Amino acid sequence: MKDKVVVVTGAARGLGQKYAYEFAKAGAKVSFADINSCDDTEKKINEITSECLNLNLDVTDYESCESLVNKTKEKFGKIDVLINNAALYGGLKSSRFEDIDPDQWDRAMNVNVKGVWNCCRAVVPIMREQKSGSIINIASLAALFGMPYAADYAASKAAVLGLTRVIAREVGKDNIRVNSVAPSMVKTESAQEFLGEKAERGFEVIAKGQILQKTLEVDDIYGTILYLASDQSKFVTGQTIMVDGGSVLL
C-alpha cells in the first residue's frame, strides 16, 4: 500500500478509524472523514505519518462527497481506494419491522444507501480518468442472514450488495474494481449502542451461531479490506466477501 491514496468514510471511531490507522501504518496516504469530528483519528495517525487529510463529510449530501474527493485529489494527486464505511447503525432503535418509525427507516436508507451511491459517483470520475481504482463497500451479515428486529438496517445493507454488483459491471471497463465486505456483528461502540444493555448476551448468542465461535473484533476485518484495496486482488470485482466466522456459507 506504500504511496497509495486511500479515502475512508465514517472514520471518527470504530472500524473506520481502524481502517484509516492501519492503512497509514502500511504506508498509504489517507484521507478520512465523518459527520463527527475525526480529530482523535488524526491524532492517532499523526503518530505514524503527517501524510493524511482530516475532513468533514455528510454522505447524504452529494456536494459534501464531491468536496471530499476533490480535496483529496488536490492534496495527493490521485485516489486509489475508497472505503465506504459510513453508516447509521448504533443510532437505530431495534424493533419489529411493522413498528419501525418511518423517519428512522428513511434515515437508514439515506445514510446507508444514498451515502454509498453519493460517494461512488463522486469518486468514479477521478478513478475513470486514472483507469484504476478499488471501491470497497461495507455491507453486513444482516443483509444475507435476515437480521430480525433490524429490517431497516438489513434492507439498507442488502441494497449495498446490489449497488456493488451494478457499479462493478458499469465501471469494469475502466479498470475500476468494486467489492463489498459483509461482517457479522463487530464489537464496536455502534454495536454496543444498538444492543444496549443486552450487548454481552447478544455477542454471545451471535458467536454460538458461527462455525468459529468467537466475537468478531475490529482487528479481524482489516486483512480482508487490505486484500481488496491492494493489487493482490486485481482480478476480483463484484464480489461480497463474508467475514462472519462462518455464519453464512456462499
Side-chain angles (χ1 to χ4, degrees):
M1 295 305 299
K2 185 169 174 55
D3 295 326
K4 295 268 191 185
V5 177
V6 180
V7 175
V8 183
T9 71
R13 63 177 187 169
L15 291 172
Q17 184 178 91
K18 174 68 174 179
Y19 301 151
Y21 178 82
E22 291 295 340
F23 276 112
K25 198 168 148 184
K29 299 172 183 178
V30 184
S31 176
F32 45 89
D34 201 301
I35 199 166
N36 299 309
S37 172
C38 284
D39 288 351
D40 186 52
T41 303
E42 183 177 27
K43 183 180 177 182
K44 291 181 187 323
I45 290 176
N46 279 339
E47 294 174 2
I48 304 168
T49 178
S50 60
E51 291 278 23
C52 64
L53 185 60
N54 178 358
L55 295 169
N56 185 258
L57 172 68
D58 178 358
V59 295
T60 68
D61 178 6
Y62 175 71
E63 290 184 359
S64 180
C65 299
E66 193 174 43
S67 175
L68 165 67
V69 300
N70 287 341
K71 287 177 180 178
T72 301
K73 186 184 178 186
E74 183 180 329
K75 182 172 177 67
F76 297 123
K78 62 175 181 171
I79 297 176
D80 297 297
V81 180
L82 166 65
I83 301 173
N84 275 316
N85 174 70
L88 191 61
Y89 176 39
L92 299 177
K93 182 181 178 182
S94 174
S95 60
R96 292 181 181 275
F97 82 93
E98 69 266 32
D99 296 328
I100 293 173
D101 185 308
D103 288 338
Q104 175 175 295
W105 180 280
D106 290 344
R107 288 197 305 276
M109 297 302 158
N110 209 22
V111 174
N112 298 0
V113 184
K114 186 180 180 183
V116 171
W117 176 60
N118 277 341
C119 289
C120 286
R121 65 193 184 109
V123 81
V124 159
I126 292 171
M127 291 182 170
R128 187 172 279 141
E129 186 179 345
Q130 298 168 173
K131 289 291 181 184
S132 67
S134 174
I135 297 173
I136 304 164
N137 298 325
I138 307 302
S140 171
L141 168 70
L144 292 103
F145 182 78
M147 184 177 175
Y149 311 108
D152 45 1
Y153 181 73
S156 71
K157 290 302 186 177
V160 170
L161 300 183
L163 267 176
T164 297
R165 292 163 184 162
V166 169
I167 298 172
R169 290 190 184 278
E170 292 187 6
V171 301
K173 61 182 178 296
D174 299 302
N175 198 36
I176 302 169
R177 299 181 296 109
V178 189
N179 294 285
S180 61
V181 174
S184 60
M185 189 171 284
V186 191
K187 201 166 188 179
T188 63
E189 298 98 320
S190 291
Q192 288 172 324
E193 287 168 8
F194 181 79
L195 292 172
E197 59 187 31
K198 299 178 181 177
E200 290 308 313
R201 175 60 179 159
F203 287 127
E204 183 183 329
V205 169
I206 291 166
K208 285 184 176 179
Q210 301 168 174
I211 293 173
L212 304 177
Q213 295 189 356
K214 66 181 288 290
T215 297
L216 188 63
E217 303 281 352
V218 174
D219 287 340
D220 297 327
I221 302 179
Y222 171 67
T224 303
I225 304 292
L226 175 62
Y227 167 68
L228 291 173
S230 75
D231 292 338
Q232 297 298 312
S233 60
K234 63 185 178 182
F235 209 59
V236 177
T237 195
Q239 303 303 309
T240 297
I241 298 181
M242 306 300 297
V243 185
D244 65 351
S247 295
V248 173
L249 307 181
L250 298 180

